[in-house]
């Protein structure tokens, strides 16, 4: 115990020293660290585990990154919408189909909002979903092997921002359009926006056993911008809430023209009613085109299927499907508390925080207390659905999450702070600065019925003076706060991958023991699997050559190949024969216009090489795997296109 104490004491002193040395004017930071022992509270000793997995969106990186909390250690970058040379995602023949869309192969997207699957309103750790904002898509990541299992494109949409958020039993994942567009697309003057452009809200069903997604239906909405969303929970389960802005339907200089109305709306969508309308045959099939991509873990291969229609429900024609709740202008976040009673609309241009009541909403709907309509959709009276107001809590409210003690926490972009306030009394309890210009915040489980009240993570847009300067573009910052007491305490900040718009976190013990270690070789059903070095071979089919190769510590089979010709298209199908945890092998070929393959135990992957000139060209293992890693290599001889050299291959001249 004495050694443990001394180690923690050293770490605490190190934290104090680093806080004091951060910049010349850091005396306040020094005293803060001394007072709180922040370094000790985020320290995870060698060989010990973090308490939480944190999944952070990569924004313009198109990826999803996995951090340990409270340590802030980066454990993995999961490729989702962007090619990744480290894992050959989007480069290998098996994964290229994952990035297909109706627009062709799109190897990038803008990933914003991850959300973990739920059962009975509690995070269950089966899957995590994330949206592609630019080319509208939703991806499902399997948390058994931390890889992208499925991507579905969203038709009739543009700027897929108010997604991906899941209902409390993962019945649906939603995808709401940010930019309204002509639906179906057609050649029309932009000046004819008003009344002609439409928004869609897409509901993607999830198979509870396999996780397979299906675009179940879309709701046609007025041509507003649909910014963010959250599902009802508890008493409001069966509803979904979306913030809208640009209810003016402006099409130019939106910073002025989309801020004219005193209030915009929260769209309350009754998806249970939508299911009733579909069962009654009220939906209409619309021709469209979108890609649905799936990865098969038995064949280790993705397929892309092009779908050609979608079911549409028109909110203007179907009573009771959607209601509009007036909320302060230009709202961003739309957040629902764990009980499902309170719906927080974060009006960016409002001095106050407005909270709506679900019970009052139902009462107003029942009594038909409407304040007009918009494109056939009833507008409820603001006063009739108002639960309360948090008076002047800060400047530029964006997002709210909740703890397990009836408290809410809201980020304020302009005043760079997180503010804690009480549900029901609406009083401000505490506030802490962020560094700087905070966007989203995240509490583990904070958007579920069972949040954890221990940590809060703020995701900041600006980090000047926080880290060593590296030129004009700095990584974004995540800051970890302890919220277990009456007052919030800043414990740690750490740089992040890309631009994290949002994050989701879950207790590690809900995932770590389900994590896959290997792919069983005897279950490998890849078309070109080679399960033994004795089965390795090279096969020519015209100008196509297929190399059936194995890898194991510390050699390839075959490791010498001759008879390849200029102009051939050579497919290397490489199987990792290891059946030991954490023993991947890599392979890269000189001159291959692709990336390496990083093949995990029991898997088969493929890359293509098209030799352009004669010679003898090496390939080698790119992932350090053993003491003889450097010896893990081979050669390919390339001859002229009209040569008569026959294919041959060997291992140790056999």
């Amino acid at each position: 115990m004495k050694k443990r104490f001394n180690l923690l004491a050293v770490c605490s002193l190190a934290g104090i020293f680093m806080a004091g040395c951060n910049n010349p004017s850091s005396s306040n930071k020094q005293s803060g660290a001394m007072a709180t022992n922040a370094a000790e509270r985020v320290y995870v000793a060698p060989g010990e585990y973090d308490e939480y997995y944190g999944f952070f969106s990569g924004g313009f990186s198109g990826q999803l990154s996995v951090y340990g909390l409270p340590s802030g250690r980066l454990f993995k970058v999961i490729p989702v919408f962007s090619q990744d040379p480290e894992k050959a995602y989007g480069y290998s023949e098996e994964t290229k189909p994952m990035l297909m869309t109706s627009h062709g192969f799109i190897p990038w997207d803008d990933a914003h909002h991850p959300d973990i699957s739920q059962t009975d309103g509690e995070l269950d750790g089966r899957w995590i979903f994330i949206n592609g904002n630019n080319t509208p898509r939703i991806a499902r990541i399997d948390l058994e092997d931390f890889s992208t299992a499925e991507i579905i494109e969203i038709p009739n949409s543009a700027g897929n921002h108010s997604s991906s958020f899941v209902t409390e039993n993962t019945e649906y994942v939603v995808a709401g359009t940010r930019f309204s567009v002509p639906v179906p697309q057609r050649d029309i003057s932009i000046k004819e926006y008003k009344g002609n452009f439409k928004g869609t809200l897409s509901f993607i069903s999830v198979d509870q056993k396999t996780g397979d997604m299906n675009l179940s239906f879309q709701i046609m909405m007025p041509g507003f911008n649909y910014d963010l969303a959250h599902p009802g929970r508890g008493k409001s389960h069966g509803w979904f809430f979306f913030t809208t802005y640009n209810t003016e339907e402006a099409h130019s200089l939106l910073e002025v023209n989309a801020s004219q109305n005193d209030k915009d709306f929260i769209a309350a969508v009754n998806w249970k009613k939508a299911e009733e309308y579909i069962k009654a045959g009220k939906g209409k099939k619309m021709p469209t085109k979108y890609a649905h991509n799936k990865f098969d873990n038995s064949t280790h291969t993705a397929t892309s299927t092009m779908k050609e229609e979608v079911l549409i429900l028109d909110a203007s024609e179907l009573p009771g499907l959607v209601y509009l709740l007036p909320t302060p202008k230009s709202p961003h976040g739309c957040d629902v508390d764990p009980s499902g009673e309170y719906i927080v609309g974060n009006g960016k241009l409002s001095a106050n925080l407005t909270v709506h009541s679900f019970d009052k909403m139902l009462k107003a709907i029942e009594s038909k207390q409407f304040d007009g309509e918009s494109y056939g959709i009833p507008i409820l009276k603001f006063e009739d659905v108002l639960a309360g107001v948090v008076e002047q809590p800060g400047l530029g409210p964006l997002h709210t999450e909740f703890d397990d003690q009836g408290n809410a926490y809201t980020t304020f972009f302009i005043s760079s702070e997180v503010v804690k306030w009480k549900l029901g009394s609406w009083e401000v309890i505490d506030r802490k600065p962020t560094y700087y210009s905070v966007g989203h915040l995240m509490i583990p489980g904070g958007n579920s019925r069972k949040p954890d009240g221990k940590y809060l993570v703020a995701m900041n847009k600006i980090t000047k003076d926080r880290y060593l300067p590296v030129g004009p573009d700095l990584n974004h910052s995540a800051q970890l706060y302890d919220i277990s007491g009456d007052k919030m305490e800043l414990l740690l900040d750490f740089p992040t991958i890309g631009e994290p718009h949002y994050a989701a976190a879950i207790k590690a013990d809900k995932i770590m023991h389900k994590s896959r270690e290997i792919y069983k070789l005897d279950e490998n059903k890849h078309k070109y699997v080679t399960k033994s070095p004795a089965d390795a071979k090279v096969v020519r089919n015209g100008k196509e050559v297929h190399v059936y190769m194995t890898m194991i510590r510390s050699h390839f089979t075959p490791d010498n190949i001759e008879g390849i010709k200029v102009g051939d298209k050579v497919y290397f199908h490489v199987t990792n024969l290891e059946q030991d945890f954490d023993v991947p092998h890599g392979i890269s070929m000189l001159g291959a216009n692709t990336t390496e393959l990083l093949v995990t135990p029991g898997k088969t992957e493929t890359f293509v090489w098209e030799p352009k000139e004669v010679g003898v060209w090496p390939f080698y293992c790119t992932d350090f795997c053993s003491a003889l890693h450097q010896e893990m290599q081979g050669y390919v001889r390339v001859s002229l296109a009209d040569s008569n050299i026959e294919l041959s291959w060997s291992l140790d001249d056999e």
Side-chain angles (χ1 to χ4, degrees):
M1 290 298 292
K2 185 176 181 180
K3 288 183 179 179
R4 170 72 169 168
F5 174 80
N6 289 340
L7 181 58
L8 292 178
V10 168
C11 290
S12 298
L13 290 171
I16 296 167
F17 178 77
M18 291 304 293
C21 293
N22 190 50
N23 62 50
S25 58
S26 58
S27 58
N28 289 335
K29 297 175 188 175
Q30 185 176 5
S31 61
M34 291 176 69
T36 63
N37 289 324
E40 178 180 336
R41 289 154 65 187
V42 301
Y43 177 70
V44 178
E48 295 185 2
Y49 296 135
D50 278 276
E51 186 176 359
Y52 294 90
Y53 285 101
F55 298 89
F56 289 67
S57 69
F60 44 66
S61 79
Q63 315 293 39
L64 183 68
S65 52
V66 185
Y67 290 84
L69 299 176
S71 73
R73 297 179 294 183
L74 175 65
F75 293 140
K76 191 178 186 72
V77 176
I78 302 172
V80 184
F81 299 114
S82 296
Q83 288 177 300
D84 183 351
E86 178 191 349
K87 303 172 188 69
Y89 181 85
Y91 290 98
S92 71
E93 297 303 296
E94 288 79 6
T95 58
K96 284 180 181 177
M98 294 299 288
L99 300 179
M100 290 301 297
T101 74
S102 61
H103 307 279
F105 182 74
I106 306 292
W108 172 84
D109 217 313
D110 186 14
H112 278 221
H113 305 119
D115 207 13
I116 299 171
S117 57
Q118 297 186 21
T119 301
D120 295 330
E122 185 175 359
L123 306 185
D124 58 30
R126 292 178 293 168
W127 312 295
I128 187 165
F129 304 87
I130 191 167
N131 61 318
N133 188 34
N134 185 68
T135 305
R137 289 175 274 186
I138 294 288
R140 175 175 62 88
I141 291 89
D142 191 336
L143 292 180
E144 180 188 76
D145 61 4
F146 286 69
S147 67
T148 303
E150 189 174 12
I151 296 178
I152 189 167
E153 186 182 1
I154 310 300
N156 302 322
S157 181
N160 174 38
H161 193 259
S162 49
S163 59
S164 58
F165 300 103
V166 303
T167 54
E168 65 176 34
N169 287 299
T170 322
E171 297 96 337
Y172 294 104
V173 180
V174 302
T177 188
R178 175 180 170 190
F179 311 114
S180 288
V181 292
V183 179
Q185 277 285 11
R186 60 192 185 278
D187 185 2
I188 182 175
S189 172
I190 299 171
K191 294 179 181 179
E192 296 181 55
Y193 181 112
K194 193 166 187 175
N196 291 306
F197 285 38
K198 300 292 182 181
T200 56
L201 308 177
S202 303
F203 283 73
I204 299 162
S205 61
V206 181
D207 185 283
Q208 295 305 297
K209 291 184 178 179
T210 65
D212 288 352
M213 300 188 296
N214 178 61
L215 179 51
S216 183
F217 62 91
Q218 292 184 314
I219 298 176
M220 192 72 70
M221 295 287 288
F224 309 150
N225 292 55
Y226 298 84
D227 202 0
L228 275 165
H230 264 102
R233 50 184 57 95
K235 64 169 66 179
S236 54
H237 178 58
W239 291 78
F240 230 105
F241 303 93
F242 296 80
T243 48
T244 73
Y245 66 100
N246 192 26
T247 53
E248 298 86 351
E249 295 181 83
H251 59 80
S252 178
L253 195 62
L254 263 63
E255 65 175 332
V256 175
N257 295 323
S259 300
Q260 301 300 307
N261 294 339
D262 180 54
K263 290 183 175 62
D264 287 302
F265 300 121
I266 290 177
V269 178
N270 187 339
W271 57 262
K272 292 282 190 181
K273 176 67 75 172
E275 291 179 333
E276 292 176 11
Y277 276 128
I278 291 169
K279 191 174 182 180
K282 299 296 184 181
K284 299 176 182 178
K285 293 289 182 67
M286 174 184 287
T288 187
K289 191 176 180 182
Y290 65 98
H292 191 171
N293 310 327
K294 292 184 181 179
F295 192 87
D296 187 323
N297 264 342
S298 63
T299 64
H300 307 168
T301 302
T303 55
S304 180
T305 305
M306 205 60 66
K307 301 297 186 71
E308 296 183 344
E309 66 178 15
V310 65
L311 187 66
I312 298 288
L313 299 174
D314 194 326
S316 66
E317 299 175 356
L318 300 173
L321 182 58
V322 181
Y323 297 92
L324 299 176
L325 284 61
T327 203
K329 65 170 64 178
S330 299
H332 188 50
C334 181
D335 303 290
V336 182
D337 85 301
S339 73
E341 166 62 11
Y342 297 123
I343 306 145
V344 183
N346 298 278
K348 299 192 299 288
L349 303 182
S350 173
N352 300 327
L353 270 178
T354 299
V355 185
H356 305 279
S357 163
F358 178 73
D359 285 342
K360 288 185 175 181
M361 183 193 84
L362 291 184
K363 184 177 180 181
I365 291 171
E366 185 179 357
S367 62
K368 300 187 184 300
Q369 294 294 313
F370 302 140
D371 194 15
E373 53 87 25
S374 177
Y375 293 99
I377 303 173
I379 301 172
L380 303 178
K381 293 181 179 179
F382 177 73
E383 295 78 10
D384 288 349
V385 296
L386 183 66
V389 174
V390 183
E391 299 283 354
Q392 298 184 335
L395 299 176
L398 290 186
H399 300 281
T400 301
E401 289 218 347
F402 308 90
D403 66 14
D404 56 347
Q405 301 297 317
N407 300 308
Y409 302 76
T410 301
T411 55
F412 290 84
F413 180 81
I414 297 174
S415 52
S416 291
E417 59 185 330
V418 176
V419 174
K420 177 181 179 180
W421 50 278
K422 194 72 176 177
L423 289 164
S425 69
W426 323 121
E427 61 180 318
V428 172
I429 300 171
D430 190 24
R431 63 179 69 240
K432 281 291 182 291
T434 61
Y435 306 98
Y436 305 93
S437 298
V438 61
H440 270 283
L441 76 164
M442 179 273 291
I443 293 171
N447 62 347
S448 73
R449 290 174 66 178
K450 295 184 178 180
D452 295 332
K454 190 168 186 178
Y455 297 118
L456 178 153
V457 178
M459 284 150 275
N460 308 321
K461 303 301 183 184
I462 297 173
T463 58
K464 57 185 177 183
D465 83 20
R466 298 301 291 177
Y467 309 129
L468 290 172
V470 289
D473 179 32
L474 306 180
N475 273 13
H476 290 240
S477 169
Q479 295 191 292
L480 181 74
Y481 294 80
D482 184 332
I483 59 170
S484 60
D486 293 335
K487 299 295 183 179
M488 296 179 283
E489 293 183 72
L490 176 60
L491 301 181
L492 177 72
D493 63 10
F494 53 94
T496 56
I497 301 293
E499 182 189 3
H501 288 263
Y502 187 48
I506 186 171
K507 282 282 186 70
D509 59 16
K510 288 193 174 183
I511 296 179
M512 61 181 294
H513 300 298
K514 298 185 290 185
S515 182
R516 177 189 286 272
E517 294 188 349
I518 63 169
Y519 295 89
K520 293 181 180 179
L521 192 60
D522 59 5
E523 296 177 0
N524 185 331
K525 297 180 181 178
H526 192 287
K527 183 178 179 181
Y528 297 103
V529 64
T530 308
K531 295 185 179 181
S532 166
D535 298 324
K537 59 186 176 181
V538 183
V539 178
R540 177 178 288 281
N541 181 15
K543 286 188 174 294
E544 277 192 6
V545 178
H546 293 267
V547 180
Y548 294 72
M549 180 178 283
T550 65
M551 45 172 43
I552 196 167
R553 286 167 287 188
S554 293
H555 63 269
F556 297 98
T557 305
D559 66 357
N560 286 283
I561 302 171
E562 299 195 14
I564 304 298
K565 301 176 184 181
V566 172
D568 283 344
K569 191 171 187 177
V570 186
Y571 291 82
F572 285 82
H573 309 291
V574 190
T575 302
N576 184 347
L577 299 182
E578 305 284 358
Q579 292 290 266
D580 190 9
F581 183 34
D582 196 25
V583 188
H585 293 291
I587 182 171
S588 182
M589 183 78 211
L590 195 158
N593 186 21
T594 180
T595 180
E596 63 136 12
L597 296 182
L598 186 66
V599 190
T600 51
K603 242 185 171 183
T604 301
E605 294 191 38
T606 303
F607 75 92
V608 176
W609 179 53
E610 298 184 64
K612 299 294 193 298
E613 54 186 303
V614 300
V616 179
W617 309 105
F619 57 89
Y620 68 101
C621 180
T622 53
D623 189 88
F624 207 104
C625 54
S626 73
L628 295 177
H629 164 74
Q630 294 295 94
E631 284 76 12
M632 192 168 175
Q633 66 172 64
Y635 289 102
V636 177
R637 176 186 174 187
V638 178
S639 303
L640 290 172
D642 59 356
S643 73
N644 58 5
I645 298 175
E646 296 294 327
L647 274 182
S648 63
W649 59 93
S650 67
L651 176 68
D652 194 25
D653 291 330
E654 292 180 5

